[in-house]
């Protein structure tokens, strides 16, 4: 599947540079054409000759080849690449990529590439955890680079292990998976609930919330990209997927309607259900048939009654092969509330997002979530676009 693919591997000055040799070998063995670019510091750690031998091509490091006077274009390799990998990526190179400091061949090629960029950081733990490095990684990720690191979410506050480089076999797997365009979820059927629900007060008023449908839509799109058949059940949201991205788009208004829709779609063929909707917990006990006039009431007390818990209802009847994923929207950190919800609703995982974080939750294009799995695993993701959050959720849980 790598046959004929053009892979650029950039190597920087890190003790992990020796692992790049294995990475080059894995791609060559899989049939890819590999070109290696080394930073000057990388040559202190591994010999260009080794890499030239393994890649079966000259290694490029300088703009100008002193031996034969040849000028190496600083953009050619960037444009040639189908995938551009920097492994190991030192703190210095990460900072240069982040700020566009084009003072060596690797950075100029990085700045000119149109290929997907994969960055495998490798450095001392304190350097990795430093806010500057973390901010630089976050900037690169926001620009579409894929950070491949054994540290989940690479957040300094949650570091597990060291700032070590991911193993070459794992880097190879991640890059080839994304290059092959292989659709991992072909044949899987997933129900996604999204948006708010509106609970009627009278014909012109409702009780609702601020959900825009952006997070649910991003999930539907991420699942669709991986080949899943998506049944999308949405409340009155401003954002929803196109007809092409889902196999069914069911529009509902209230929590009771959403519950009926989920129950009618959920059956033994359902592989997973993601409850991303912000379902109103209460509805108006007796909605008025006619518009209530201002003159009629000086004080208007509404009686609210609890809506059914849709996720808990499905959680109670699901079979072991069916994955259930919920969301928890909290106004504070909220881990214990989220874990409690996961247990009560019999979910396999819950995505915790908090209104306490800027750029997270309702309405915005970004989110900052923690993925909590029933087996105790926890993945803290940095602030990212909802599109990238959705891709990460799909990558981690499917
Ligand atoms: O739509 P956006 O503007 O992009 O915003 C996205 C979001 C903030 C709405 C989304 O990321 C999110 O957090 N959705 C769940 C919000 C919520 O209702 O959380 P909760 O903690 O109240 O509910 C917990 C879980 O139970 C959720 O999976 C919810 O869908 C489900 N639930 C809740 C109540 C109910 N009656 N039935 C349910 O199924």
């Amino acid at each position: 599947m790598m046959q004929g693919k053009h892979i650029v591997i950039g190597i920087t000055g890190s003790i992990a540079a020796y692992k790049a040799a294995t990475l080059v070998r894995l791609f060559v063995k899989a049939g890819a054409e590999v070109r290696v670019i080394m930073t000057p510091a990388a040559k202190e750690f591994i010999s260009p000759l080794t890499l030239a031998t393994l890649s079966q091509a000259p290694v490029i490091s300088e703009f100008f080849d002193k031996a034969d006077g040849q000028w190496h274009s600083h953009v050619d390799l960037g444009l040639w690449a189908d995938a551009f990998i920097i492994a190991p990526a030192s703190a210095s190179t990460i900072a240069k990529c982040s700020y566009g400091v084009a003072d060596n061949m690797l950075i100029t090629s990085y700045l000119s590439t149109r290929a997907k960029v994969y960055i495998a950081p490798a450095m001392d733990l304190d350097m990795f955890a430093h806010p500057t490095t973390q901010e630089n990684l976050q900037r690169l990720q926001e620009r579409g680079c894929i950070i491949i690191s054994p540290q989940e979410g690479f957040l300094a506050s949650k570091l597990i292990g060291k700032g070590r480089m991911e193993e070459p076999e794992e880097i190879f797997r991640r890059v080839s998976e994304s290059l092959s365009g292989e659709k991992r979820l072909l044949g899987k059927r997933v129900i996604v609930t999204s948006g708010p629900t509106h609970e009627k007060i009278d014909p012109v008023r409702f009780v609702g919330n601020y959900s825009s449908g952006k997070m649910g839509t991003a999930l539907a799109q991420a699942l669709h990209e991986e080949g899943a058949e998506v049944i999308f059940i949405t409340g009155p949201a401003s954002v929803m997927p196109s007809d092409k991205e889902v196999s069914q788009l069911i529009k509902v208004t209230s929590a009771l309607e959403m519950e009926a829709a989920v129950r009618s779609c959920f059956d033994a063929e359902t592989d997973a259900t993601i409850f991303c909707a912000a379902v109103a917990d209460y509805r108006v006990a007796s909605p008025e048939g006619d518009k209530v006039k201002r003159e009629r009431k000086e004080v208007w007390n509404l009686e609210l009654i609890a809506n059914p818990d849709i996720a808990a209802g499905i959680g109670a009847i699901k079979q072991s092969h069916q994955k259930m994923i919920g969301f928890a929207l909290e106004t504070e950190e909220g881990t214990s509330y989220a874990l409690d919800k996961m247990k009560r609703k019999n979910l396999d995982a819950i995505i915790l997002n908090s209104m306490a974080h800027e750029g997270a939750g309702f309405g915005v294009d970004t989110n900052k979530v923690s993925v909590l799995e029933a087996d105790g695993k926890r993945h803290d993701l940095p602030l990212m676009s909802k599109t990238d959050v959705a891709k990460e959720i799909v990558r981690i849980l499917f």
Side-chain angles (χ1 to χ4, degrees):
M1 67 188 166
M2 275 285 157
Q3 208 63 40
K5 290 276 190 253
H6 294 171
I7 310 293
V8 168
I9 300 184
I11 304 175
T12 76
S14 153
I15 192 81
Y18 74 94
K19 289 188 181 174
T22 309
L23 191 60
V24 170
R25 197 173 46 76
L26 287 169
F27 280 105
V28 170
K29 207 171 140 206
E33 273 188 62
V34 178
R35 295 287 179 278
V36 173
I37 308 177
M38 295 177 82
T39 62
K43 290 192 256 176
E44 307 287 337
F45 293 89
I46 183 167
S47 126
L49 185 61
T50 307
L51 296 160
T53 311
L54 288 170
S55 66
Q56 299 156 14
V59 167
I60 295 172
S61 180
E62 314 291 338
F63 294 110
F64 181 71
D65 191 329
K66 291 184 191 105
D68 60 9
Q70 196 190 342
W71 171 256
H72 294 136
S73 161
H74 56 287
V75 298
D76 278 0
L77 272 185
L79 297 176
W80 174 85
D82 293 313
F84 196 100
I85 307 166
I86 306 182
S90 65
S92 159
T93 291
I94 287 168
K96 286 180 186 178
C97 289
S98 167
Y99 283 94
V101 182
D103 68 349
N104 67 44
M105 195 69 188
L106 178 58
I107 310 295
T108 52
S109 303
Y110 158 77
L111 289 174
S112 58
T113 194
R114 293 184 194 142
K116 193 94 196 152
V117 177
Y118 305 82
I119 295 178
M123 66 201 72
D124 162 83
L125 177 62
D126 293 322
M127 290 171 74
F128 186 73
H130 194 280
T132 306
T133 308
Q134 294 291 310
E135 280 160 26
N136 286 332
L137 285 169
Q138 194 151 328
R139 280 163 61 96
L140 292 171
Q141 188 172 54
E142 279 161 19
R143 274 186 234 132
C145 297
I146 295 181
I147 313 297
I148 304 181
S149 166
Q151 279 66 237
E152 283 295 349
F154 60 81
L155 269 192
S157 56
K158 301 288 176 203
L159 283 181
I160 332 149
K162 301 227 155 94
R164 72 173 172 85
M165 187 174 101
E166 183 53 278
E167 292 307 319
E169 290 75 11
E170 177 61 12
I171 299 174
F172 172 76
R173 191 191 65 74
R174 292 275 301 273
V175 176
S176 32
E177 200 175 272
S178 96
L179 272 187
S180 71
E182 185 193 319
K183 296 189 184 294
R184 289 188 302 114
L185 301 181
L186 270 180
K188 298 275 180 212
R189 182 179 297 171
V190 185
I191 298 174
V192 178
T193 72
S194 180
T197 64
H198 286 181
E199 311 300 324
K200 194 173 172 183
I201 299 173
D202 71 11
V204 297
R205 302 178 177 96
F206 60 84
V207 176
N209 60 65
Y210 298 108
S211 171
S212 61
K214 286 179 182 173
M215 192 64 243
T217 299
L219 281 164
Q221 289 165 336
L223 290 161
H224 170 72
E225 262 176 39
E226 290 289 357
E229 179 194 325
V230 181
I231 299 174
F232 194 78
I233 302 173
T234 176
S238 53
V239 179
M240 51 190 77
S242 70
D243 287 340
K244 286 198 196 107
E245 290 165 325
V246 293
S247 67
Q248 277 187 66
L249 198 157
I250 302 172
K251 294 183 188 171
V252 298
T253 303
S254 65
L256 287 179
E257 284 172 26
M258 185 171 277
E259 187 199 31
V262 173
R263 284 189 179 271
S264 77
C265 294
F266 182 83
D267 61 20
E269 306 292 302
T270 308
D271 294 290
T273 309
I274 307 182
F275 299 93
C276 184
V279 183
D281 282 314
Y282 294 92
R283 67 178 181 276
V284 179
S286 317
E288 305 279 345
D290 293 315
K291 181 182 172 190
V292 174
K293 300 272 185 294
R294 168 72 179 80
E295 312 77 66
R296 224 182 86 196
K297 292 182 200 260
E298 203 46 52
V299 175
W300 183 4
N301 289 317
L302 288 175
E303 192 189 355
L304 300 176
I305 53 173
N307 269 326
D309 187 323
I310 307 171
I314 299 293
I317 56 168
K318 73 155 188 158
Q319 296 169 36
S320 58
H321 70 278
Q322 298 177 305
K323 211 186 278 284
M324 295 288 151
I325 301 164
F327 270 72
L329 180 61
E330 306 296 343
T331 49
E332 50 198 297
E333 219 299 289
T335 298
S336 56
Y337 293 118
L339 290 174
D340 178 56
K341 283 177 189 174
M342 174 158 62
K343 209 166 161 206
R344 265 194 293 120
K345 296 171 196 250
N346 193 23
L347 303 168
D348 299 286
I350 194 153
I351 318 297
L352 167 62
N353 44 190
S354 165
M355 301 291 289
H357 292 126
E358 207 178 314
F362 285 135
V364 285
D365 289 332
T366 50
N367 208 356
K368 182 174 181 326
V369 307
S370 295
V371 180
L372 311 177
E373 297 188 66
D375 64 5
K377 285 199 208 100
R378 177 182 179 121
H379 315 256
D380 294 301
L381 305 184
L383 184 73
M384 292 191 264
S385 67
K386 283 185 174 162
T387 304
D388 285 339
V389 169
K391 283 184 187 162
E392 278 297 290
I393 291 172
V394 171
R395 187 180 71 76
I396 294 168
L397 296 178
F398 285 83

